[in-house]
Protein backbone atom coordinates (compact mmCIF):
# COMPACT_ATOMS: atom_id res chain seq x y z
CA UNK A 1 0.00 0.00 0.00
CA UNK A 2 2.87 2.39 0.72
CA UNK A 3 4.15 2.28 -2.87
CA UNK A 4 0.65 2.95 -4.18
CA UNK A 5 0.15 5.80 -1.73
CA UNK A 6 3.37 7.51 -2.84
CA UNK A 7 2.58 7.08 -6.52
CA UNK A 8 -0.97 8.38 -6.14
CA UNK A 9 0.17 11.36 -4.08
CA UNK A 10 2.91 12.05 -6.61
CA UNK A 11 0.61 12.00 -9.62
CA UNK A 12 -1.95 14.28 -7.96
CA UNK A 13 0.90 16.59 -6.92
CA UNK A 14 2.29 16.58 -10.47
CA UNK A 15 -1.04 17.57 -12.02
CA UNK A 16 -2.08 19.94 -9.26
CA UNK A 17 -5.62 18.61 -9.40
CA UNK A 18 -6.54 15.14 -10.67
CA UNK A 19 -9.45 12.72 -10.57
CA UNK A 20 -9.26 8.96 -10.17
CA UNK A 21 -9.35 8.09 -13.85
CA UNK A 22 -6.59 10.58 -14.60
CA UNK A 23 -4.36 9.09 -11.86
CA UNK A 24 -5.11 5.56 -13.08
CA UNK A 25 -4.36 6.45 -16.72
CA UNK A 26 -1.07 8.14 -15.77
CA UNK A 27 0.18 5.22 -13.66
CA UNK A 28 -0.84 2.59 -16.21
CA UNK A 29 0.97 4.57 -18.92
CA UNK A 30 4.12 4.12 -16.78
CA UNK A 31 3.37 0.35 -16.50
CA UNK A 32 3.24 0.79 -12.72
CA UNK A 33 0.91 -2.20 -12.58
CA UNK A 34 3.96 -4.30 -13.54
CA UNK A 35 6.88 -2.83 -11.58
CA UNK A 36 4.93 -1.61 -8.53
CA UNK A 37 1.91 -3.97 -8.64
CA UNK A 38 -0.48 -0.99 -8.62
CA UNK A 39 -4.01 -2.21 -9.29
CA UNK A 40 -6.77 0.13 -10.57
CA UNK A 41 -8.99 -0.61 -7.57
CA UNK A 42 -6.19 0.24 -5.14
CA UNK A 43 -5.83 3.68 -6.76
CA UNK A 44 -9.41 4.68 -6.00
CA UNK A 45 -9.13 3.17 -2.51
CA UNK A 46 -5.94 5.15 -1.86
CA UNK A 47 -7.55 8.40 -3.03
CA UNK A 48 -10.54 7.96 -0.74
CA UNK A 49 -8.47 6.83 2.25
CA UNK A 50 -5.97 9.68 1.94
CA UNK A 51 -8.84 12.17 1.60
CA UNK A 52 -10.25 10.77 4.85
CA UNK A 53 -6.80 11.20 6.44
CA UNK A 54 -6.52 14.82 5.35
CA UNK A 55 -3.72 14.29 2.85
CA UNK A 56 -6.01 15.08 -0.08
CA UNK A 57 -9.01 17.33 -0.46
CA UNK A 58 -11.83 17.05 -2.95
CA UNK A 59 -12.20 19.79 -5.53
CA UNK A 60 -15.37 20.78 -7.36
CA UNK A 61 -14.98 20.32 -11.11
CA UNK A 62 -17.17 22.79 -12.93
CA UNK A 63 -19.33 21.20 -15.62
CA UNK A 64 -18.07 17.67 -14.94
CA UNK A 65 -20.44 14.72 -15.08
CA UNK A 66 -21.27 13.08 -11.78
CA UNK A 67 -19.48 9.89 -10.77
CA UNK A 68 -16.30 8.70 -9.00
CA UNK A 69 -14.11 9.46 -12.02
CA UNK A 70 -15.09 13.12 -11.91
CA UNK A 71 -14.29 13.70 -8.24
CA UNK A 72 -11.03 15.62 -8.36
CA UNK A 73 -8.40 15.80 -5.63
CA UNK A 74 -5.47 18.00 -4.71
CA UNK A 75 -2.81 17.71 -2.02
CA UNK A 76 -3.30 19.51 1.26
CA UNK A 77 -0.35 21.03 3.12
CA UNK A 78 -0.25 17.80 5.13
CA UNK A 79 -0.30 15.84 1.89
CA UNK A 80 2.74 17.69 0.54
CA UNK A 81 4.59 17.01 3.79
CA UNK A 82 3.62 13.32 3.72
CA UNK A 83 4.75 12.97 0.10
CA UNK A 84 8.17 14.48 0.85
CA UNK A 85 8.70 12.43 4.02
CA UNK A 86 7.51 9.18 2.43
CA UNK A 87 9.64 9.74 -0.68
CA UNK A 88 12.83 10.36 1.28
CA UNK A 89 12.28 7.43 3.64
CA UNK A 90 11.65 5.01 0.76
CA UNK A 91 14.79 6.16 -1.05
CA UNK A 92 17.06 5.97 1.98
CA UNK A 93 15.91 2.81 3.75
CA UNK A 94 16.53 -0.75 2.63
CA UNK A 95 13.54 -2.86 3.60
CA UNK A 96 15.02 -6.35 3.91
CA UNK A 97 11.64 -8.01 4.22
CA UNK A 98 9.98 -5.90 1.52
CA UNK A 99 9.21 -6.56 -2.10
CA UNK A 100 11.14 -3.62 -3.55
CA UNK A 101 8.03 -1.80 -4.77
CA UNK A 102 8.48 1.08 -2.35
CA UNK A 103 11.96 1.86 -3.67
CA UNK A 104 10.94 1.68 -7.33
CA UNK A 105 8.02 3.99 -6.58
CA UNK A 106 10.38 6.43 -4.87
CA UNK A 107 12.84 6.44 -7.78
CA UNK A 108 9.96 7.56 -10.01
CA UNK A 109 9.83 10.88 -8.14
CA UNK A 110 13.56 11.19 -7.44
CA UNK A 111 13.80 14.38 -9.60
CA UNK A 112 11.48 16.28 -7.24
CA UNK A 113 14.33 16.37 -4.70
CA UNK A 114 17.33 18.65 -4.81
CA UNK A 115 20.41 17.02 -6.32
CA UNK A 116 22.43 17.00 -3.09
CA UNK A 117 19.50 15.65 -1.08
CA UNK A 118 19.00 12.80 -3.54
CA UNK A 119 22.72 11.94 -3.43
CA UNK A 120 22.68 11.99 0.38
CA UNK A 121 19.66 9.69 0.63
CA UNK A 122 21.08 7.24 -1.89
CA UNK A 123 24.39 7.31 -0.03
CA UNK A 124 22.56 6.28 3.13
CA UNK A 125 20.95 3.44 1.21
CA UNK A 126 24.32 2.39 -0.18
CA UNK A 127 25.79 2.08 3.32
CA UNK A 128 22.97 -0.30 4.30
CA UNK A 129 23.44 -2.36 1.14
CA UNK A 130 27.16 -2.73 1.84
CA UNK A 131 26.28 -4.01 5.30
CA UNK A 132 23.93 -6.56 3.74
CA UNK A 133 26.67 -7.66 1.36
CA UNK A 134 29.08 -8.23 4.27
CA UNK A 135 26.42 -10.29 6.05
CA UNK A 136 25.80 -12.43 2.96
CA UNK A 137 29.54 -12.97 2.46
CA UNK A 138 29.91 -14.02 6.10
CA UNK A 139 27.05 -16.50 5.82
CA UNK A 140 28.64 -18.00 2.73
CA UNK A 141 31.95 -18.36 4.52
CA UNK A 142 30.66 -19.81 7.77
CA UNK A 143 27.16 -21.10 6.98
CA UNK A 144 28.00 -24.80 6.77
CA UNK A 145 30.01 -24.60 9.97
CA UNK A 146 26.89 -23.35 11.78
CA UNK A 147 24.97 -26.49 10.89
CA UNK A 148 23.18 -25.10 7.83
CA UNK A 149 22.33 -27.62 5.08
CA UNK A 150 24.96 -27.29 2.36
CA UNK A 151 22.45 -26.46 -0.38
CA UNK A 152 21.26 -23.41 1.59
CA UNK A 153 24.55 -21.76 0.63
CA UNK A 154 23.08 -21.45 -2.87
CA UNK A 155 20.46 -19.10 -1.42
CA UNK A 156 23.12 -17.05 0.36
CA UNK A 157 24.98 -16.75 -2.94
CA UNK A 158 21.78 -15.58 -4.67
CA UNK A 159 21.28 -12.96 -1.94
CA UNK A 160 24.91 -11.82 -2.28
CA UNK A 161 24.59 -11.45 -6.04
CA UNK A 162 21.33 -9.49 -5.74
CA UNK A 163 22.86 -7.12 -3.20
CA UNK A 164 26.02 -6.72 -5.32
CA UNK A 165 23.92 -5.73 -8.32
CA UNK A 166 21.94 -3.26 -6.18
CA UNK A 167 25.18 -1.73 -4.89
CA UNK A 168 26.57 -1.23 -8.39
CA UNK A 169 23.28 0.22 -9.64
CA UNK A 170 23.08 2.65 -6.71
CA UNK A 171 26.71 3.75 -7.16
CA UNK A 172 26.05 4.37 -10.85
CA UNK A 173 22.94 6.47 -10.11
CA UNK A 174 24.86 8.54 -7.55
CA UNK A 175 27.64 9.17 -10.08
CA UNK A 176 25.09 10.19 -12.70
CA UNK A 177 23.59 12.69 -10.29
CA UNK A 178 27.03 14.06 -9.39
CA UNK A 179 27.80 14.44 -13.09
CA UNK A 180 24.73 16.64 -13.51
CA UNK A 181 22.44 14.16 -15.25
CA UNK A 182 18.66 14.54 -14.92
CA UNK A 183 16.78 17.74 -14.18
CA UNK A 184 16.40 17.88 -10.40
CA UNK A 185 14.17 19.90 -8.09
CA UNK A 186 16.73 22.66 -7.55
CA UNK A 187 17.66 23.02 -11.24
CA UNK A 188 16.35 25.99 -13.29
CA UNK A 189 14.17 23.85 -15.58
CA UNK A 190 10.99 22.12 -14.43
CA UNK A 191 11.78 18.62 -13.20
CA UNK A 192 9.63 15.51 -13.61
CA UNK A 193 6.88 15.32 -11.00
CA UNK A 194 6.89 19.01 -10.11
CA UNK A 195 3.45 20.50 -9.48
CA UNK A 196 2.19 23.01 -12.06
CA UNK A 197 1.61 25.57 -9.31
CA UNK A 198 4.96 27.15 -8.49
CA UNK A 199 3.51 28.35 -5.19
CA UNK A 200 3.15 24.76 -3.94
CA UNK A 201 5.57 23.68 -1.19
CA UNK A 202 8.96 22.86 -2.67
CA UNK A 203 10.67 19.45 -2.06
CA UNK A 204 13.07 19.22 0.89
Amino acid sequence: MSATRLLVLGVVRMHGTAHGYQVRRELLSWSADRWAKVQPGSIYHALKKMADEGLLEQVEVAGAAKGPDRVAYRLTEQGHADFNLRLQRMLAEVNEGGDGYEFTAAVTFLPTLSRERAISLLGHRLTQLEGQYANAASLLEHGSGWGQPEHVNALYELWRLHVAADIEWTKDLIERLRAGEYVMGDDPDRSFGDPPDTAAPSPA
Side-chain angles (χ1 to χ4, degrees):
M1 180 59 175
S2 293
T4 300
R5 285 170 68 97
L6 180 73
L7 289 167
V8 170
L9 281 173
V11 171
V12 175
R13 178 184 182 274
M14 181 172 67
H15 288 282
T17 299
H19 51 72
Y21 176 75
Q22 189 176 4
V23 175
R24 176 176 176 269
R25 183 181 59 193
E26 188 75 46
L27 290 177
L28 291 181
S29 75
W30 302 349
S31 299
D33 54 324
R34 298 184 180 182
W35 51 259
K37 296 300 181 184
V38 175
Q39 300 303 318
S42 66
I43 294 171
Y44 292 101
H45 175 74
L47 286 166
K48 186 177 184 305
K49 184 172 176 56
M50 289 191 289
D52 291 341
E53 294 172 355
L55 304 181
L56 298 172
E57 61 182 357
Q58 293 188 10
V59 181
E60 295 264 348
V61 180
K66 292 183 178 180
D69 285 336
R70 289 298 175 263
V71 176
Y73 298 88
R74 67 183 171 207
L75 268 65
T76 62
E77 184 176 345
Q78 182 182 348
H80 281 284
D82 187 89
F83 171 81
N84 286 321
L85 181 62
R86 191 178 296 274
L87 170 63
Q88 293 180 67
R89 177 177 58 79
M90 290 182 182
L91 278 173
E93 296 179 4
V94 176
N95 185 358
E96 294 188 38
D99 48 28
Y101 299 147
E102 291 189 355
F103 182 67
T104 54
V107 171
T108 304
F109 291 106
L110 177 73
T112 66
L113 296 167
S114 70
R115 189 172 302 276
E116 287 305 314
R117 185 59 177 161
I119 290 171
S120 175
L121 292 167
L122 290 169
H124 184 72
R125 174 181 174 81
L126 181 60
T127 299
Q128 295 174 72
L129 289 171
E130 289 171 341
Q132 281 194 3
Y133 184 89
N135 288 338
S138 178
L139 286 169
L140 275 169
E141 183 179 356
H142 304 293
S144 297
W146 294 338
Q148 301 280 13
E150 188 174 349
H151 67 276
V152 172
N153 276 346
L155 293 177
Y156 295 154
E157 176 63 8
L158 177 63
W159 181 31
R160 186 187 68 82
L161 291 172
H162 279 172
V163 176
D166 203 343
I167 286 172
E168 290 307 308
W169 182 90
T170 303
K171 285 181 176 179
D172 180 69
L173 181 56
I174 290 173
E175 288 308 309
R176 287 173 182 271
L177 288 166
R178 285 178 174 157
E181 290 193 36
Y182 316 119
V183 178
M184 301 300 291
D186 56 342
D187 289 330
D189 297 328
R190 185 176 184 275
S191 64
F192 177 84
D194 275 350
D197 182 6
T198 56
S202 58

